[in-house]
Amino acid sequence: MYNIKISPKLKSDDRSIMNQILKEEAFFLNQKQGDIHSFVLDDDQDQLLNKLYNIHKMTNIDKENYTKHISYCVRNLGQKSIDKLPTIMEKYKTEDERFQIMFIDQLNLIYEASQQAQQPVIQILSYFLLNSILKIKELAGQQLTKIALHLQGDEKGNQLLPIIIKMAHDDLNQDNRIVALQLMGKLSSMFGIQLSESFIAFEVMSLGEDSKQDVRKEAVNQLPLVAKVVGKDFFNKKLFPFYMKRCKEPNTKVKQACVEHFLQIVELSSQNQKIVDLTPQLLQFQNDSNKYVKGVAYRCLARFIAAIEKDKIDPKLIENYLKMADSDIRELLPEQQVMFACAYGFPAVLQTVGVTRWQQLHKLFNHLWKQKNERICKTLAASLHEIAKIIGAERAEIDLFPILETIFVKEPNDNVLMGCVKNLSQFLKIFSDEKKEAFLEIFFFIQKDQKKWRIRESIANQLDEMALIFPADIIFKMIIPIAFKLCTDNVAQVRKIASSKIYSFFEGIKNSSMSEQYKICLIESMIGFQKSSVFYQRQSFIQMCIKIMNLEDDIFEKYLLNPLVELAQDKVQSIKYMLYMAIENHIKNQGRQSKNQQLLDVINLLSNEKAIKSLVKYQPTQEVQLQEPEVQQQQENLNPNKESSSIQETQLEEIDDDEIPLRQVKEEPKILKQLKEEKQEIMKRQEDIQKQQLNEEQDVNIVEQIGQLSLNENEETNQQADQTTECIKDSQSDFIINNNESQELQQFEQLQGQGEQIQKQSDEELINEEQQQGSQSDQKELNTEEDAQQF
């Protein structure tokens, strides 16, 4: 209650009235958040049972509260409530509609509360199913569907079928027959094939002959659900002829239902039924006088063509498909639904009819594209890779490249661009290496825009695919620099994805004659992240190592194990927690390094730290799990073998670099010395081979720049704090290409070389509304490294 004092001067009646007002008005505010049952805690079982028994006498506020939580009350009372439960339920038959709705919404929970409560619940639901108010009927039907999940075997037929059939045979009430059909459709999968063929299907077909058109329409609506349950022979002999008969009806409502469910019937039909029966029917729908029926029929056309064997397709279907962008066809349905369906099904139709029809379909493609509808253009852009695979590289270069130019240069639209970028690596697969390399300029261009973090996320997702489709020298010169830039992105999700893809480059460069040089430069750049003064870049290093630990060669053990283990001494708790989780999951999944003693020592060390214990300790208890929403529990029951994600990854979040104290590094890491020595030996062994193979200017530059990696040891030792900047800059000298390369790549190298200083200067300019939305999790990150230590 409110802490309000009532004046003693008030009369006793006035005080009583004031108390009642305060009690009613302050009721919800007095409840503790999350404790929805606190209002009954003061009642003993006898008092609670008496209140439920006299619930019709309560004030509206109390009646509402007890009704909303009546299932909890029944559970709390246990056996005491069972005898009086039918009487308590009976009182709701005369209540107002809003209280009946609250009560019905609790019935499935009451049913679960006690086995003895089940029969009274089904009886009261039977009453409400016959209610004169349609909303009450439908809500009762929804509860009956939930209860059916708990019934076993014959119980479904014995307890539920009599109720449904009684409603289906109510000749005086059309709504009862409609709700009965809805229940038949929803419950048919639970009833199974035997009951569906013996009762449900025949009831649906019987009501499909009803005198009321709304009932016949509902029979057609529920037909696909029943058809999926019955046997193939039953469908062919009974339900398919029934559907074809309903398609011939002159009544518009029934015909609309038939065309709306046309594709669902197609999925269940044989090739012969599609060719002999459904093709003429669809053509008839497309000539119908009703605009809606005609429009939906055209909307079905692409998927129907894709479902028929190529040599069996009626030429009239192709003719109609080619007309879908015409003004008289595309305006049949609102919001350009017809043209969108045409664009969505375009690759499937092309695949079915074959490349010989490309000339005709190409005209349709251009017609659709010129509509400048964002939804349609995005769909076409997202399917370019599929179209290119079908028509081949030569035709794709001539017919699809102009579209790409529009998407990326002439009239860029962010949503259309996103649709294309998502599958760009798949698109590039079909072209020659020369064409692929030319296309990389697109990646340089689009990943440069710091405002479009979703685009950068999509590029990061494709890094592993690009590592397999490009030659090793292209991967080294152009793709790896993009990847490392994305690993330092301002958005945590982009950094996380890009870091997790670095492992793929070791596979991409291994067949090159310079694979050893490339590998060492790649490793040096990774270690640069480990030595960074920016803590989320050290997190990125851990992300990089997660999959590299499972590589079959000795890259991890020889070069990355010690740098990874060093992070166990990091002063930022979130770094140590991420390291702990990465190693623990690797061991739990029996990874290649699961028996490595150094990693086992790290786990033992970190598991004893108080901060790590507090983060790892919590696991949901059985009681908490039982309180999860019913829908989630049902999904778990339906998927008992579904494996949960085995790797728990810490979300990388954002803080400003200028708020982080610099990490002091007193001496050069031993691993870098070892790498440099190995590099010198490799360079001596392969010097003659390199001079013969690398005649082109850019390759000569690579050889010259490799020599620059052997910087004076004392000069590197004297660099202040941010070893990431120096290591990345040192290794990026291998990435430098000739002066004719793109300006974007040079800017990238400058960014990698300048490191944290440039990040400080650009942070305020880069943050905008879209980036803030993309980094919602980042905003919750620790504000300083001191805060991070307290994490």
Side-chain angles (χ1 to χ4, degrees):
M1 298 290 292
Y2 287 125
N3 187 20
I4 299 177
K5 295 181 179 179
I6 302 175
S7 172
K9 296 181 181 179
L10 292 174
K11 296 180 181 179
S12 59
D13 290 341
D14 293 333
R15 289 172 59 84
S16 176
I17 294 170
M18 181 64 73
N19 275 318
Q20 181 64 23
I21 292 173
L22 288 173
K23 179 180 178 182
E24 293 184 356
E25 294 297 328
F27 184 87
F28 288 107
L29 297 176
N30 295 331
Q31 295 183 151
K32 295 180 181 179
Q33 186 176 3
D35 185 9
I36 61 173
H37 310 305
S38 60
F39 69 94
V40 298
L41 294 180
D42 294 334
D43 295 334
D44 60 33
Q45 288 193 335
D46 291 334
Q47 289 175 326
L48 182 57
L49 183 59
N50 185 59
K51 287 183 178 180
L52 292 180
Y53 195 73
N54 295 287
I55 199 166
H56 59 291
K57 298 179 181 178
M58 289 183 178
T59 63
N60 284 345
I61 291 179
D62 283 342
K63 187 188 298 183
E64 180 175 340
N65 289 324
Y66 278 89
T67 300
K68 281 183 175 179
H69 306 108
I70 193 169
S71 63
Y72 171 81
C73 297
V74 171
R75 288 178 184 273
N76 190 34
L77 289 169
Q79 188 61 35
K80 278 193 173 185
S81 68
I82 299 303
D83 295 337
K84 291 190 176 181
L85 189 58
T87 306
I88 294 171
M89 291 181 173
E90 192 76 16
K91 298 181 184 298
Y92 280 96
K93 290 182 178 181
T94 57
E95 283 293 347
D96 293 342
E97 179 183 341
R98 73 186 187 100
F99 291 115
Q100 288 181 341
I101 290 173
M102 295 175 197
F103 172 67
I104 294 170
D105 197 46
Q106 293 285 305
L107 285 175
N108 69 305
L109 300 177
I110 296 175
Y111 183 92
E112 296 172 15
S114 170
Q115 187 174 359
Q116 293 170 290
Q118 294 176 0
Q119 195 57 39
V121 168
I122 291 178
Q123 289 175 354
I124 197 69
L125 276 175
S126 302
Y127 170 82
F128 285 120
L129 282 167
L130 299 174
N131 195 283
S132 59
I133 302 173
L134 182 59
K135 186 177 181 179
I136 298 290
K137 290 177 188 289
E138 292 177 339
L139 183 59
Q142 293 171 11
Q143 292 296 302
L144 199 66
T145 304
K146 292 179 181 179
I147 287 172
L149 293 170
H150 302 283
L151 296 175
Q152 303 295 325
D154 294 340
E155 290 180 344
K156 295 185 178 73
N158 295 335
Q159 296 191 38
L160 303 185
L161 261 183
I163 300 172
I164 297 172
I165 291 176
K166 181 180 179 181
M167 297 179 68
H169 293 176
D170 187 350
D171 296 333
L172 301 178
N173 193 311
Q174 172 181 315
D175 288 342
N176 283 347
R177 302 198 295 279
I178 290 175
V179 173
L181 282 165
Q182 293 171 351
L183 288 171
M184 290 177 195
K186 291 177 182 178
L187 296 175
S188 58
S189 61
M190 299 181 197
F191 285 141
I193 185 172
Q194 185 176 353
L195 287 177
S196 294
E197 288 186 357
S198 302
F199 295 98
I200 301 299
F202 285 105
E203 290 294 336
V204 171
M205 289 188 289
S206 175
L207 291 172
E209 305 286 351
D210 197 274
S211 60
K212 300 293 185 181
Q213 62 177 355
D214 287 337
V215 178
R216 298 199 304 277
K217 175 184 176 181
E218 193 60 42
V220 175
N221 287 337
Q222 303 305 321
L223 179 64
L225 295 175
V226 179
K228 289 179 181 179
V229 179
V230 301
K232 190 67 176 176
D233 188 61
F234 190 93
F235 171 78
N236 291 335
K237 293 181 179 179
K238 301 291 184 182
L239 296 186
F240 186 78
F242 168 77
Y243 172 78
M244 295 304 299
K245 183 178 180 180
R246 298 278 72 78
C247 288
K248 308 301 182 185
E249 274 207 31
N251 182 271
T252 301
K253 285 186 178 182
V254 178
K255 194 185 300 182
Q256 286 176 351
C258 288
V259 73
E260 286 169 352
H261 298 287
F262 180 82
L263 289 175
Q264 293 172 282
I265 299 299
V266 169
E267 291 176 0
L268 300 169
S269 304
S270 66
Q271 278 292 320
N272 186 62
Q273 288 169 331
K274 294 172 188 175
I275 297 165
V276 176
D277 299 299
L278 295 177
T279 294
Q281 185 58 61
L282 184 61
L283 291 172
Q284 185 177 335
F285 281 146
Q286 289 172 346
N287 290 321
D288 197 89
S289 59
N290 183 274
K291 184 178 179 181
Y292 178 79
V293 171
K294 187 174 182 178
V296 174
Y298 270 97
R299 194 174 64 190
C300 297
L301 184 53
R303 288 178 59 187
F304 182 65
I305 291 173
I308 305 177
E309 296 175 3
K310 179 179 178 180
D311 56 344
K312 304 289 186 178
I313 300 174
D314 190 316
K316 185 65 177 176
L317 294 175
I318 304 298
E319 182 183 335
N320 285 354
Y321 180 74
L322 294 172
K323 295 192 303 184
M324 286 180 69
D326 294 352
S327 58
D328 59 330
I329 304 298
R330 69 184 186 221
E331 294 174 2
L332 290 170
L333 296 177
E335 300 176 357
Q336 294 191 315
Q337 293 180 43
V338 173
M339 282 208 301
F340 176 76
C342 179
Y344 187 84
F346 190 91
V349 172
L350 177 60
Q351 179 72 49
T352 303
V353 301
V355 70
T356 55
R357 292 270 194 168
W358 170 242
Q359 201 62 34
Q360 292 174 297
L361 291 171
H362 182 218
K363 293 179 181 178
L364 175 62
F365 183 96
N366 287 335
H367 198 165
L368 291 169
W369 185 263
K370 290 175 182 178
Q371 300 301 314
K372 302 300 181 185
N373 179 279
E374 181 179 293
R375 187 166 173 242
I376 294 171
C377 289
K378 181 179 179 180
T379 301
L380 293 174
S383 65
L384 285 177
H385 65 294
E386 295 292 347
I387 298 172
K389 288 177 187 177
I390 299 169
I391 65 176
E394 185 178 349
R395 285 190 177 93
E397 183 177 342
I398 297 171
D399 295 335
L400 300 183
F401 275 24
I403 301 295
L404 289 174
E405 185 180 8
T406 302
I407 293 173
F408 289 104
V409 181
K410 289 185 178 179
E411 301 175 27
N413 176 292
D414 286 353
N415 287 326
V416 177
L417 179 64
M418 187 65 184
C420 183
V421 170
K422 276 185 177 181
N423 302 298
L424 198 52
S425 63
Q426 296 294 318
F427 182 81
L428 295 180
K429 275 185 180 181
I430 71 167
F431 295 103
S432 64
D433 290 346
E434 183 180 354
K435 285 294 179 184
K436 290 175 188 174
E437 184 175 353
F439 259 94
L440 283 175
E441 294 293 332
I442 294 176
F443 282 100
F444 281 119
F445 176 75
I446 59 180
Q447 61 88 31
K448 184 175 63 173
D449 191 342
Q450 292 295 318
K451 296 180 180 180
K452 298 173 183 176
W453 73 273
R454 289 289 187 190
I455 300 290
R456 302 196 304 279
E457 179 189 29
S458 182
I459 294 173
N461 265 316
Q462 298 175 75
L463 288 173
D464 53 345
E465 295 178 4
M466 289 191 284
L468 298 177
I469 65 175
F470 285 96
D473 60 329
I474 299 299
I475 293 172
F476 181 75
K477 290 186 300 181
M478 305 183 75
I479 299 177
I480 291 179
I482 295 176
F484 279 118
K485 182 180 179 182
L486 293 172
C487 289
T488 62
D489 198 88
N490 292 289
V491 177
Q493 181 69 4
V494 177
R495 296 196 303 269
K496 175 181 175 181
I497 294 173
S499 300
S500 69
K501 304 288 187 179
I502 295 298
Y503 78 96
S504 61
F505 296 125
F506 289 103
E507 180 71 18
I509 63 176
K510 72 178 184 179
N511 294 325
S512 170
S513 60
M514 296 185 63
S515 61
E516 287 298 318
Q517 291 97 318
Y518 292 163
K519 180 177 74 173
I520 290 173
C521 293
L522 185 56
I523 292 169
E524 284 184 331
S525 294
M526 290 178 61
I527 294 175
F529 280 80
Q530 190 269 354
K531 309 310 280 185
S532 172
S533 62
V534 182
F535 88 98
Y536 64 71
Q537 291 187 11
R538 303 199 294 279
Q539 286 180 324
S540 293
F541 174 76
I542 298 173
Q543 293 277 0
M544 293 174 191
C545 289
I546 288 175
K547 290 186 178 179
I548 294 177
M549 282 193 282
N550 282 317
L551 294 182
E552 293 183 359
D553 51 28
D554 61 351
I555 292 173
F556 176 76
E557 294 169 281
K558 190 173 181 180
Y559 302 108
L560 300 174
L561 175 60
N562 289 333
L564 184 68
V565 169
E566 286 177 12
L567 292 178
Q569 306 299 327
D570 202 285
K571 60 184 177 181
V572 179
Q573 293 294 343
S574 60
I575 297 287
K576 292 192 281 188
Y577 175 67
M578 176 177 281
L579 177 64
Y580 176 87
M581 294 305 300
I583 298 175
E584 184 189 51
N585 283 313
H586 182 80
I587 294 172
K588 186 185 299 181
N589 296 325
Q590 298 182 347
R592 192 168 181 272
Q593 306 293 330
S594 58
K595 295 183 180 180
N596 186 290
Q597 189 58 48
Q598 287 182 263
L599 296 182
L600 294 174
D601 292 342
V602 170
I603 283 289
N604 292 331
L605 173 66
L606 295 179
S607 62
N608 292 321
E609 292 201 10
K610 188 176 180 180
I612 302 296
K613 282 182 178 179
S614 64
L615 292 170
V616 176
K617 181 179 179 182
Y618 176 75
Q619 292 292 338
T621 63
Q622 185 177 3
E623 181 181 356
V624 173
Q625 291 173 356
L626 290 174
Q627 294 175 359
E628 292 177 350
E630 180 187 7
V631 173
Q632 182 175 342
Q633 289 294 314
Q634 292 173 0
Q635 290 175 347
E636 291 176 359
N637 293 335
L638 293 173
N639 300 280
N641 297 322
K642 183 177 179 181
E643 296 180 0
S644 60
S645 176
S646 59
I647 299 178
Q648 302 175 26
E649 295 180 327
T650 305
Q651 291 293 325
L652 309 186
E653 299 183 349
E654 191 91 29
I655 65 174
D656 293 332
D657 293 350
D658 56 354
E659 295 178 347
I660 305 177
L662 293 178
R663 185 185 188 207
Q664 300 297 329
V665 181
K666 297 182 179 179
E667 61 180 6
E668 183 184 40
K670 293 181 180 179
I671 187 66
L672 289 182
K673 295 179 182 179
Q674 179 184 349
L675 287 169
K676 291 178 186 220
E677 291 173 359
E678 292 183 6
K679 190 187 305 180
Q680 293 297 330
E681 294 176 3
I682 293 170
M683 288 174 60
K684 290 177 182 179
R685 290 197 308 266
Q686 297 191 354
E687 185 176 2
D688 294 336
I689 299 175
Q690 291 173 6
K691 288 180 179 179
Q692 294 175 4
Q693 293 180 341
L694 307 178
N695 293 323
E696 296 180 2
E697 183 180 355
Q698 62 179 19
D699 293 330
V700 172
N701 285 340
I702 291 176
V703 175
E704 294 173 356
Q705 294 302 326
I706 288 175
Q708 296 179 15
L709 287 172
S710 55
L711 297 177
N712 184 276
E713 178 179 337
N714 293 329
E715 290 179 356
E716 289 186 293
T717 304
N718 292 332
Q719 293 296 321
Q720 181 182 7
D722 191 0
Q723 286 295 323
T724 299
T725 303
E726 188 59 34
C727 293
I728 293 179
K729 183 177 180 181
D730 189 38
S731 62
Q732 287 303 320
S733 62
D734 286 59
F735 294 151
I736 297 178
I737 59 178
N738 60 43
N739 294 331
N740 293 327
E741 292 293 346
S742 66
Q743 184 67 28
E744 288 81 4
L745 182 56
Q746 295 176 22
Q747 291 174 355
F748 159 64
E749 293 166 348
Q750 293 171 6
L751 281 173
Q752 293 286 45
Q754 293 172 2
E756 184 178 352
Q757 182 178 357
I758 289 189
Q759 289 181 353
K760 293 178 186 177
Q761 296 173 355
S762 62
D763 276 347
E764 292 182 357
E765 299 175 0
L766 298 177
I767 295 176
N768 53 59
E769 182 177 356
E770 181 183 0
Q771 187 175 8
Q772 290 173 356
Q773 293 175 355
S775 308
Q776 286 179 356
S777 61
D778 299 5
Q779 303 306 315
K780 300 177 184 177
E781 177 58 43
L782 319 164
N783 290 323
T784 67
E785 189 136 339
E786 293 179 0
D787 291 338
Q789 295 177 44
Q790 299 173 7
F791 174 62

